[in-house]
Amino acid sequence: MSGLSYDSKLYALPYDVGPWMVFYNRDKFAAAGLKEPAKDWTFDDFKAAAKTLTKDGTYGYGTQAFDFIAGPIALGAEYFNADNEFDLTNAGFVDAFSKYADLTAKDKLSPVFASASDASAASGRFASGNVAMYIDGPWTLITAQANVKFKIGIAPLPRGSGPSRFITAGSGWGISAASQHKDAAFKAIQVLTGPKAAEILGSAGRALPARLAQQTYWYDGAAKNVSGTRDTLQYMFAHTTPFRINEKWNQFENLVMQYVPVALTGDSAPKAVLTDIQSQLP
């Protein structure tokens, strides 16, 4: 409900929900002699695993554009100030952003995404076995299982020195202010977001329902072959924060895809990249 609200006003009724989390190749973890991630694993734990898994033509981690938003939040950073305006150059966000950029630029634990068209390519690399870990959401779990030939594991995003904290997002249904059929639209939304629809969608693996009572259909369906999914997601929901955006969000996201690659290649320092992005968000 919070994620679909703005300025204390609810704009849509929730349909599905989910936090960004780490998908990992359980077979590669086992072959490398690594313990599977703990729910409260740290960034140092994550980095150490990625180092161990980077060998024989495989990267330990596959970076994507949204990692530089969800990842820093999990480390305790903030990209907004108290007025819900972008504040990308605060010390906490620069430090957290730099940790993720350095995994590629300095440690060579991830391939570089070179452009916007390549910014979400890690899922394909993961499916082919070229990267051992990447970040995505529960909405992709059923597709991921169908495309791989190994056992998938999921884990929370690594935390910083403080407690775990994760961005949870979701989609929903609203009614246009210009609609000429608001009453009929609301009746339709009651069906689309109702318990029966949530049961059907959850059972099919299409969506992790926003309705708590119907989430069990997803856990018992799409996630039944992925060990620990229910416990992991319930842990993440217990340490969650709504996905915050503002009216400049689309511009910001496009700038991230445009500028982050130069931090990944080492051509520009992470702070300089964030300063460039910030300067274009007046």
Side-chain angles (χ1 to χ4, degrees):
M1 299 286 277
S2 297
L4 293 170
S5 299
Y6 181 72
D7 198 21
S8 301
K9 295 180 180 178
L10 183 67
Y11 282 85
L13 292 179
Y15 163 77
D16 67 349
V17 70
W20 276 267
M21 56 196 186
V22 176
F23 283 64
Y24 65 94
N25 185 321
R26 296 183 69 194
D27 293 354
K28 288 190 180 294
F29 266 71
L34 288 170
K35 292 183 179 179
E36 297 197 20
K39 293 183 182 67
D40 63 345
W41 66 333
T42 65
F43 186 82
D44 288 343
D45 298 329
F46 173 76
K47 183 175 178 178
K51 280 186 175 180
T52 300
L53 293 161
T54 300
K55 59 182 179 180
D56 302 329
T58 296
Y59 288 97
Y61 160 62
T63 190
Q64 302 188 104
F66 200 84
D67 301 4
F68 295 90
I69 301 166
I73 291 294
L75 295 180
E78 293 285 357
Y79 50 81
F80 279 145
N81 61 23
D83 296 322
N84 214 47
E85 295 292 332
F86 284 106
D87 179 19
L88 306 178
T89 57
N90 71 76
F93 192 76
V94 170
D95 179 67
F97 182 98
S98 299
K99 282 183 166 64
Y100 271 88
D102 287 349
L103 292 173
T104 303
K106 294 183 177 180
D107 302 309
K108 312 300 181 186
L109 305 180
S110 167
V112 176
F113 72 82
S115 65
S117 62
D118 193 40
S120 58
S123 60
R125 294 187 176 116
F126 177 74
S128 67
N130 294 134
V131 302
M133 297 186 288
Y134 88 108
I135 295 171
D136 214 325
W139 49 86
T140 64
L141 185 60
I142 190 168
T143 303
Q145 290 182 83
N147 291 337
V148 305
K149 297 179 180 179
F150 52 83
K151 292 181 180 178
I152 292 176
I154 65 165
L157 269 66
R159 63 179 177 84
S161 58
S164 297
R165 187 180 65 148
F166 314 106
I167 292 179
T168 293
S171 56
W173 296 95
I175 303 171
S176 168
S179 171
Q180 300 300 307
H181 307 281
K182 291 184 175 67
D183 290 339
F186 184 63
K187 289 180 181 179
I189 286 176
Q190 286 177 290
V191 174
L192 291 168
T193 64
K196 187 60 180 177
E199 176 186 337
I200 293 169
L201 291 163
S203 298
R206 168 60 185 84
L208 176 58
R211 286 181 171 270
L212 297 180
Q214 278 68 45
Q215 286 184 351
T216 189
Y217 293 101
W218 186 86
Y219 289 128
D220 294 341
K224 66 180 179 181
N225 294 321
V226 181
S227 176
T229 299
R230 187 190 300 262
D231 288 345
T232 298
L233 280 167
Q234 288 181 346
Y235 174 83
M236 296 187 76
F237 285 137
H239 298 83
T240 196
T241 185
F243 182 15
R244 292 176 63 190
I245 65 170
N246 64 13
E247 67 279 0
K248 300 173 185 175
W249 181 263
N250 285 343
Q251 183 182 357
F252 165 65
E253 199 165 25
N254 288 334
L255 289 168
V256 166
M257 287 189 265
Q258 179 182 347
Y259 282 93
V260 165
V262 299
L264 302 183
T265 58
D267 292 335
S268 186
K271 185 173 182 179
V273 168
L274 291 173
T275 300
D276 284 341
I277 296 174
Q278 182 72 54
S279 70
Q280 297 182 59
L281 295 167

CSV table of all heavy atoms in Angstrom, one decimal, residues 28-74:
chain,number,residue,atom,x,y,z
A,28,LYS,N,27.2,-24.5,-8.5
A,28,LYS,CA,28.5,-23.8,-8.4
A,28,LYS,C,28.9,-23.6,-7.0
A,28,LYS,O,30.1,-23.7,-6.7
A,28,LYS,CB,28.5,-22.6,-9.3
A,28,LYS,CG,28.4,-22.8,-10.8
A,28,LYS,CD,28.6,-21.5,-11.6
A,28,LYS,CE,28.5,-21.8,-13.1
A,28,LYS,NZ,29.6,-22.7,-13.5
A,29,PHE,N,28.0,-23.2,-6.1
A,29,PHE,CA,28.4,-23.0,-4.7
A,29,PHE,C,28.9,-24.4,-4.2
A,29,PHE,O,30.0,-24.4,-3.5
A,29,PHE,CB,27.2,-22.6,-3.9
A,29,PHE,CG,27.1,-21.1,-3.7
A,29,PHE,CD1,26.8,-20.3,-4.8
A,29,PHE,CD2,27.3,-20.5,-2.5
A,29,PHE,CE1,26.7,-18.9,-4.7
A,29,PHE,CE2,27.3,-19.1,-2.3
A,29,PHE,CZ,26.9,-18.3,-3.4
A,30,ALA,N,28.2,-25.4,-4.4
A,30,ALA,CA,28.6,-26.7,-3.9
A,30,ALA,C,30.0,-27.2,-4.5
A,30,ALA,O,30.9,-27.7,-3.8
A,30,ALA,CB,27.6,-27.8,-4.2
A,31,ALA,N,30.2,-27.0,-5.8
A,31,ALA,CA,31.4,-27.4,-6.5
A,31,ALA,C,32.6,-26.6,-5.9
A,31,ALA,O,33.7,-27.1,-5.9
A,31,ALA,CB,31.3,-27.2,-8.0
A,32,ALA,N,32.3,-25.3,-5.5
A,32,ALA,CA,33.4,-24.5,-5.0
A,32,ALA,C,33.6,-24.7,-3.5
A,32,ALA,O,34.5,-24.1,-2.9
A,32,ALA,CB,33.1,-23.0,-5.3
A,33,GLY,N,32.8,-25.5,-2.9
A,33,GLY,CA,33.0,-25.8,-1.4
A,33,GLY,C,32.4,-24.6,-0.6
A,33,GLY,O,32.8,-24.5,0.6
A,34,LEU,N,31.5,-23.8,-1.1
A,34,LEU,CA,31.0,-22.7,-0.4
A,34,LEU,C,29.7,-23.0,0.3
A,34,LEU,O,28.9,-23.8,-0.2
A,34,LEU,CB,30.7,-21.5,-1.4
A,34,LEU,CG,31.9,-20.8,-2.0
A,34,LEU,CD1,31.3,-19.9,-3.1
A,34,LEU,CD2,32.6,-20.0,-0.9
A,35,LYS,N,29.6,-22.5,1.5
A,35,LYS,CA,28.3,-22.6,2.2
A,35,LYS,C,27.3,-21.7,1.5
A,35,LYS,O,27.6,-20.7,1.0
A,35,LYS,CB,28.4,-22.2,3.7
A,35,LYS,CG,29.2,-23.1,4.5
A,35,LYS,CD,29.3,-22.6,6.0
A,35,LYS,CE,30.1,-23.5,6.9
A,35,LYS,NZ,30.1,-23.1,8.3
A,36,GLU,N,26.0,-22.1,1.5
A,36,GLU,CA,25.0,-21.3,0.9
A,36,GLU,C,24.8,-20.1,1.8
A,36,GLU,O,25.0,-20.1,3.0
A,36,GLU,CB,23.7,-22.1,0.6
A,36,GLU,CG,24.0,-23.2,-0.3
A,36,GLU,CD,22.7,-23.8,-0.9
A,36,GLU,OE1,21.7,-23.2,-0.9
A,36,GLU,OE2,22.8,-25.0,-1.5
A,37,PRO,N,24.4,-18.9,1.2
A,37,PRO,CA,24.3,-17.7,1.9
A,37,PRO,C,23.3,-17.7,3.1
A,37,PRO,O,22.2,-18.3,3.0
A,37,PRO,CB,23.8,-16.7,0.8
A,37,PRO,CG,24.1,-17.3,-0.5
A,37,PRO,CD,24.1,-18.8,-0.3
A,38,ALA,N,23.7,-17.1,4.2
A,38,ALA,CA,22.9,-16.9,5.3
A,38,ALA,C,21.9,-15.8,5.0
A,38,ALA,O,22.2,-14.9,4.2
A,38,ALA,CB,23.7,-16.6,6.6
A,39,LYS,N,20.8,-15.7,5.7
A,39,LYS,CA,19.8,-14.7,5.5
A,39,LYS,C,20.4,-13.3,5.8
A,39,LYS,O,20.0,-12.3,5.2
A,39,LYS,CB,18.5,-14.9,6.3
A,39,LYS,CG,17.7,-16.1,5.8
A,39,LYS,CD,16.5,-16.3,6.6
A,39,LYS,CE,15.7,-17.5,6.2
A,39,LYS,NZ,16.4,-18.8,6.6
A,40,ASP,N,21.3,-13.2,6.8
A,40,ASP,CA,21.8,-11.9,7.1
A,40,ASP,C,23.3,-11.8,6.7
A,40,ASP,O,24.1,-11.1,7.3
A,40,ASP,CB,21.7,-11.7,8.6
A,40,ASP,CG,22.5,-12.7,9.4
A,40,ASP,OD1,23.0,-13.8,8.8
A,40,ASP,OD2,22.8,-12.5,10.6
A,41,TRP,N,23.6,-12.4,5.5
A,41,TRP,CA,25.0,-12.3,5.1
A,41,TRP,C,25.4,-10.9,4.8
A,41,TRP,O,24.5,-10.0,4.5
A,41,TRP,CB,25.3,-13.2,3.9
A,41,TRP,CG,24.6,-13.0,2.6
A,41,TRP,CD1,23.4,-12.4,2.4
A,41,TRP,CD2,25.1,-13.4,1.3
A,41,TRP,NE1,23.1,-12.4,1.1
A,41,TRP,CE2,24.1,-13.0,0.4
A,41,TRP,CE3,26.2,-14.1,0.9
A,41,TRP,CZ2,24.3,-13.3,-1.0
A,41,TRP,CZ3,26.4,-14.3,-0.5
A,41,TRP,CH2,25.4,-13.9,-1.4
A,42,THR,N,26.7,-10.6,4.9
A,42,THR,CA,27.1,-9.2,4.7
A,42,THR,C,27.7,-9.0,3.3
A,42,THR,O,27.9,-10.0,2.5
A,42,THR,CB,28.3,-8.9,5.7
A,42,THR,OG1,29.4,-9.7,5.4
A,42,THR,CG2,27.8,-9.1,7.1
A,43,PHE,N,28.0,-7.8,3.0
A,43,PHE,CA,28.6,-7.5,1.7
A,43,PHE,C,29.9,-8.2,1.5
A,43,PHE,O,30.3,-8.7,0.5
A,43,PHE,CB,28.7,-6.0,1.4
A,43,PHE,CG,29.2,-5.6,0.1
A,43,PHE,CD1,28.3,-5.6,-1.0
A,43,PHE,CD2,30.5,-5.4,-0.2
A,43,PHE,CE1,28.8,-5.3,-2.3
A,43,PHE,CE2,31.0,-5.1,-1.5
A,43,PHE,CZ,30.1,-5.0,-2.5
A,44,ASP,N,30.7,-8.2,2.6
A,44,ASP,CA,32.0,-8.9,2.6
A,44,ASP,C,31.8,-10.4,2.3
A,44,ASP,O,32.6,-11.0,1.6
A,44,ASP,CB,32.7,-8.7,3.9
A,44,ASP,CG,33.2,-7.3,4.1
A,44,ASP,OD1,33.3,-6.6,3.1
A,44,ASP,OD2,33.6,-6.9,5.3
A,45,ASP,N,30.7,-11.0,2.9
A,45,ASP,CA,30.4,-12.4,2.6
A,45,ASP,C,30.1,-12.6,1.1
A,45,ASP,O,30.6,-13.5,0.4
A,45,ASP,CB,29.2,-12.9,3.4
A,45,ASP,CG,29.5,-12.9,4.9
A,45,ASP,OD1,30.6,-13.0,5.3
A,45,ASP,OD2,28.5,-12.7,5.6
A,46,PHE,N,29.3,-11.7,0.6
A,46,PHE,CA,28.9,-11.7,-0.8
A,46,PHE,C,30.1,-11.6,-1.8
A,46,PHE,O,30.3,-12.3,-2.7
A,46,PHE,CB,27.9,-10.6,-1.1
A,46,PHE,CG,27.5,-10.4,-2.5
A,46,PHE,CD1,26.6,-11.2,-3.2
A,46,PHE,CD2,28.0,-9.3,-3.2
A,46,PHE,CE1,26.3,-11.0,-4.5
A,46,PHE,CE2,27.6,-9.1,-4.6
A,46,PHE,CZ,26.8,-10.0,-5.2
A,47,LYS,N,31.0,-10.6,-1.4
A,47,LYS,CA,32.2,-10.4,-2.3
A,47,LYS,C,33.1,-11.6,-2.2
A,47,LYS,O,33.7,-12.0,-3.2
A,47,LYS,CB,32.9,-9.1,-1.8
A,47,LYS,CG,34.1,-8.7,-2.6
A,47,LYS,CD,34.6,-7.4,-2.1
A,47,LYS,CE,35.9,-7.0,-2.8
A,47,LYS,NZ,36.4,-5.7,-2.4
A,48,ALA,N,33.3,-12.1,-1.0
A,48,ALA,CA,34.2,-13.3,-0.9
A,48,ALA,C,33.7,-14.5,-1.7
A,48,ALA,O,34.4,-15.2,-2.4
A,48,ALA,CB,34.3,-13.7,0.6
A,49,ALA,N,32.3,-14.7,-1.7
A,49,ALA,CA,31.7,-15.8,-2.5
A,49,ALA,C,32.0,-15.5,-4.0
A,49,ALA,O,32.3,-16.4,-4.8
A,49,ALA,CB,30.3,-15.9,-2.2
A,50,ALA,N,31.7,-14.2,-4.4
A,50,ALA,CA,31.9,-13.9,-5.8
A,50,ALA,C,33.4,-14.1,-6.3
A,50,ALA,O,33.6,-14.6,-7.4
A,50,ALA,CB,31.5,-12.4,-6.1
A,51,LYS,N,34.3,-13.8,-5.4
A,51,LYS,CA,35.7,-14.1,-5.7
A,51,LYS,C,36.0,-15.5,-5.9
A,51,LYS,O,36.7,-15.9,-6.9
A,51,LYS,CB,36.6,-13.5,-4.6
A,51,LYS,CG,36.9,-12.0,-4.6
A,51,LYS,CD,37.9,-11.6,-3.6
A,51,LYS,CE,38.2,-10.1,-3.7
A,51,LYS,NZ,39.2,-9.7,-2.7
A,52,THR,N,35.5,-16.3,-5.0
A,52,THR,CA,35.7,-17.8,-5.1
A,52,THR,C,35.1,-18.4,-6.4
A,52,THR,O,35.6,-19.3,-7.0
A,52,THR,CB,35.1,-18.5,-3.9
A,52,THR,OG1,35.8,-18.0,-2.7
A,52,THR,CG2,35.3,-20.0,-3.9
A,53,LEU,N,33.9,-17.8,-6.8
A,53,LEU,CA,33.2,-18.3,-7.9
A,53,LEU,C,33.7,-17.8,-9.3
A,53,LEU,O,33.3,-18.3,-10.3
A,53,LEU,CB,31.7,-18.0,-7.8
A,53,LEU,CG,31.0,-18.7,-6.6
A,53,LEU,CD1,29.7,-18.0,-6.2
A,53,LEU,CD2,30.7,-20.2,-6.9
A,54,THR,N,34.5,-16.8,-9.2
A,54,THR,CA,35.1,-16.2,-10.5
A,54,THR,C,36.3,-17.0,-10.9
A,54,THR,O,37.4,-16.8,-10.4
A,54,THR,CB,35.4,-14.7,-10.3
A,54,THR,OG1,34.3,-14.0,-9.9
A,54,THR,CG2,36.0,-14.1,-11.6
A,55,LYS,N,36.1,-17.9,-11.9
A,55,LYS,CA,37.1,-18.8,-12.4
A,55,LYS,C,36.6,-19.6,-13.5
A,55,LYS,O,35.4,-19.7,-13.8
A,55,LYS,CB,37.6,-19.8,-11.3
A,55,LYS,CG,36.5,-20.7,-10.7
A,55,LYS,CD,37.0,-21.6,-9.6
A,55,LYS,CE,36.0,-22.5,-9.1
A,55,LYS,NZ,36.5,-23.4,-8.0
A,56,ASP,N,37.5,-20.1,-14.3
A,56,ASP,CA,37.2,-21.0,-15.4
A,56,ASP,C,36.2,-20.4,-16.4
A,56,ASP,O,35.3,-21.1,-16.9
A,56,ASP,CB,36.7,-22.4,-14.9
A,56,ASP,CG,37.7,-23.1,-14.0
A,56,ASP,OD1,38.9,-22.9,-14.2
A,56,ASP,OD2,37.3,-23.8,-13.1
A,57,GLY,N,36.3,-19.1,-16.7
A,57,GLY,CA,35.4,-18.5,-17.6
A,57,GLY,C,34.1,-18.1,-17.0
A,57,GLY,O,33.2,-17.6,-17.7
A,58,THR,N,33.9,-18.3,-15.7
A,58,THR,CA,32.6,-17.9,-15.0
A,58,THR,C,32.9,-16.7,-14.1
A,58,THR,O,33.9,-16.7,-13.4
A,58,THR,CB,32.1,-19.1,-14.2
A,58,THR,OG1,31.8,-20.1,-15.1
A,58,THR,CG2,30.8,-18.7,-13.4
A,59,TYR,N,32.0,-15.7,-14.1
A,59,TYR,CA,32.0,-14.6,-13.2
A,59,TYR,C,31.2,-15.0,-12.0
A,59,TYR,O,30.2,-15.7,-12.1
A,59,TYR,CB,31.4,-13.4,-13.8
A,59,TYR,CG,32.3,-12.7,-14.9
A,59,TYR,CD1,32.1,-13.0,-16.2
A,59,TYR,CD2,33.3,-11.9,-14.5
A,59,TYR,CE1,32.9,-12.4,-17.2
A,59,TYR,CE2,34.1,-11.2,-15.5
A,59,TYR,CZ,33.9,-11.5,-16.8
A,59,TYR,OH,34.6,-10.9,-17.8
A,60,GLY,N,31.6,-14.5,-10.8
A,60,GLY,CA,30.9,-14.8,-9.6
A,60,GLY,C,29.6,-14.0,-9.5
A,60,GLY,O,28.7,-14.5,-8.8
A,61,TYR,N,29.5,-12.9,-10.2
A,61,TYR,CA,28.3,-12.0,-10.1
A,61,TYR,C,28.1,-11.4,-11.5
A,61,TYR,O,29.0,-11.1,-12.2
A,61,TYR,CB,28.6,-11.0,-9.0
A,61,TYR,CG,27.8,-9.7,-9.0
A,61,TYR,CD1,26.5,-9.7,-8.8
A,61,TYR,CD2,28.5,-8.5,-9.1
A,61,TYR,CE1,25.7,-8.6,-8.8
A,61,TYR,CE2,27.8,-7.3,-9.1
A,61,TYR,CZ,26.4,-7.3,-8.9
A,61,TYR,OH,25.7,-6.2,-8.9
A,62,GLY,N,26.8,-11.1,-11.8
A,62,GLY,CA,26.5,-10.4,-13.0
A,62,GLY,C,25.7,-9.1,-12.6
A,62,GLY,O,24.6,-9.2,-12.2
A,63,THR,N,26.4,-8.0,-12.8
A,63,THR,CA,25.8,-6.7,-12.4
A,63,THR,C,24.8,-6.2,-13.4
A,63,THR,O,24.9,-6.5,-14.6
A,63,THR,CB,26.9,-5.6,-12.2
A,63,THR,OG1,26.3,-4.5,-11.6
A,63,THR,CG2,27.5,-5.2,-13.5
A,64,GLN,N,23.8,-5.5,-12.9
A,64,GLN,CA,22.7,-4.9,-13.7
A,64,GLN,C,22.5,-3.5,-13.2
A,64,GLN,O,22.9,-3.1,-12.1
A,64,GLN,CB,21.5,-5.7,-13.7
A,64,GLN,CG,21.6,-7.1,-14.1
A,64,GLN,CD,20.3,-7.8,-14.2
A,64,GLN,OE1,19.7,-8.0,-15.3
A,64,GLN,NE2,19.7,-8.2,-13.1
A,65,ALA,N,21.8,-2.7,-14.0
A,65,ALA,CA,21.5,-1.3,-13.6
A,65,ALA,C,20.9,-1.1,-12.3
A,65,ALA,O,21.3,-0.3,-11.5
A,65,ALA,CB,20.7,-0.6,-14.7
A,66,PHE,N,19.8,-1.9,-12.0
A,66,PHE,CA,19.1,-1.6,-10.8
A,66,PHE,C,19.8,-2.1,-9.6
A,66,PHE,O,19.5,-1.7,-8.5
A,66,PHE,CB,17.7,-2.4,-10.9
A,66,PHE,CG,16.7,-1.8,-9.9
A,66,PHE,CD1,16.0,-0.6,-10.2
A,66,PHE,CD2,16.5,-2.3,-8.6
A,66,PHE,CE1,15.1,-0.1,-9.3
A,66,PHE,CE2,15.7,-1.7,-7.7
A,66,PHE,CZ,14.9,-0.6,-8.1
A,67,ASP,N,20.9,-2.8,-9.7
A,67,ASP,CA,21.7,-3.2,-8.6
A,67,ASP,C,22.2,-2.0,-7.8
A,67,ASP,O,22.5,-2.0,-6.6
A,67,ASP,CB,22.9,-4.1,-9.0
A,67,ASP,CG,22.5,-5.4,-9.7
A,67,ASP,OD1,21.3,-5.6,-9.9
A,67,ASP,OD2,23.4,-6.2,-10.0
A,68,PHE,N,22.4,-0.9,-8.6
A,68,PHE,CA,23.0,0.3,-8.0
A,68,PHE,C,22.0,1.2,-7.3
A,68,PHE,O,22.3,2.2,-6.8
A,68,PHE,CB,23.7,1.1,-9.1
A,68,PHE,CG,24.9,0.3,-9.7
A,68,PHE,CD1,24.8,-0.5,-10.7
A,68,PHE,CD2,26.1,0.4,-9.0
A,68,PHE,CE1,25.8,-1.3,-11.2
A,68,PHE,CE2,27.2,-0.3,-9.5
A,68,PHE,CZ,27.1,-1.2,-10.6
A,69,ILE,N,20.8,0.7,-7.2
A,69,ILE,CA,19.7,1.3,-6.4
A,69,ILE,C,19.3,0.4,-5.3
A,69,ILE,O,19.4,0.7,-4.1
A,69,ILE,CB,18.5,1.6,-7.3
A,69,ILE,CG1,18.9,2.5,-8.5
A,69,ILE,CG2,17.3,2.2,-6.5
A,69,ILE,CD1,17.9,2.6,-9.6
A,70,ALA,N,18.9,-0.9,-5.6
A,70,ALA,CA,18.6,-1.8,-4.6
A,70,ALA,C,19.7,-2.2,-3.7
A,70,ALA,O,19.6,-2.4,-2.5
A,70,ALA,CB,18.0,-3.1,-5.2
A,71,GLY,N,20.9,-2.4,-4.3
A,71,GLY,CA,22.1,-2.8,-3.5
A,71,GLY,C,22.5,-1.8,-2.4
A,71,GLY,O,22.6,-2.2,-1.2
A,72,PRO,N,22.7,-0.5,-2.8
A,72,PRO,CA,23.0,0.5,-1.7
A,72,PRO,C,22.0,0.6,-0.6
A,72,PRO,O,22.3,0.8,0.5
A,72,PRO,CB,23.1,1.8,-2.6
A,72,PRO,CG,23.6,1.3,-3.9
A,72,PRO,CD,22.9,0.0,-4.1
A,73,ILE,N,20.7,0.5,-1.0
A,73,ILE,CA,19.6,0.5,0.0
A,73,ILE,C,19.8,-0.6,1.1
A,73,ILE,O,19.7,-0.4,2.3
A,73,ILE,CB,18.2,0.4,-0.6
A,73,ILE,CG1,17.9,1.7,-1.4
A,73,ILE,CG2,17.2,0.2,0.5
A,73,ILE,CD1,17.8,3.0,-0.5
A,74,ALA,N,20.1,-1.8,0.6
A,74,ALA,CA,20.4,-2.9,1.4
A,74,ALA,C,21.6,-2.7,2.3
A,74,ALA,O,21.7,-3.3,3.4
A,74,ALA,CB,20.5,-4.2,0.6
